[in-house]
Every structure is written in structure tokens, then in C-alpha cells.
Amino acid sequence: MTSDDRRPADDPWTPDAPAPGEGAGPARPRRRGLFVAALVIFSIGVVFTIVAALTPFVLGRDAPTILYLGAMFFTPIGFLLGLAYAIMGSRPPKV
């Protein structure tokens, strides 16, 4: 054990020791639903973007408008959901 491992007792960041007989308890699993939703929606937007970019080379004409609209809708929504998940995950749990 090094001196860095010993924290002073008045350190506000030192967690309180559980009372005798009380374990830390099983940790609740984190909810990953928002993360999965963000990942799926963002991926759909990326697929729309790739298809819209490749369509002129494959078909020899402009891509249909629905591909551009799908890319403009799904990609930023997925990004914002991922950002919300990251922000919510950085907060300490409510006690």
C-alpha cells in the first residue's frame, strides 16, 4: 500500500464504509435502451447517407429525395440520442 492509497478521513470524496452486516449490495445493471436506440437510429442514417452517395454511380441519375430526407432525419436524431445517453450516464445515480 502506498501513501497515495491512504486517504484522510475528512476527505469528502472518500465513500462511506457500509455498516456492519450491510453489503454494498448487487449493483443494478445500467439501462442500455437509449444507447441501443441511438446506435440503431444513427446507423440507419449512415446507411441512408451511403446509399444516397452511391446511387448516382450505380443508377447514373440523382438519388431519390427519400434517401436524403432519411439521412437528414435519422443521423442527427441518433447522434442527439447518443449525446443524451452520454450526458445522463455521467451523472451520479439518485439516492
Side-chain angles (χ1 to χ4, degrees):
M1 177 182 242
T2 66
S3 62
D4 292 337
D5 293 334
R6 287 184 236 131
R7 295 186 181 130
D10 60 345
D11 183 6
W13 297 105
T14 303
D16 296 330
E22 287 183 17
R28 287 183 21 204
R30 297 185 66 170
R31 294 187 178 193
R32 301 276 183 204
L34 183 60
F35 176 72
V36 171
L39 189 63
V40 168
I41 292 173
F42 185 77
S43 298
I44 291 170
V46 169
V47 168
F48 269 104
T49 303
I50 292 171
V51 171
L54 293 178
T55 299
F57 298 112
V58 175
L59 297 181
R61 61 183 178 89
D62 288 341
T65 305
I66 192 70
L67 293 177
Y68 293 111
L69 292 176
M72 287 189 299
F73 175 76
F74 287 108
T75 308
I77 296 297
F79 178 78
L80 290 176
L81 287 175
L83 190 63
Y85 173 78
I87 290 171
M88 288 173 29
S90 67
R91 293 184 176 180
K94 293 181 182 180
V95 178

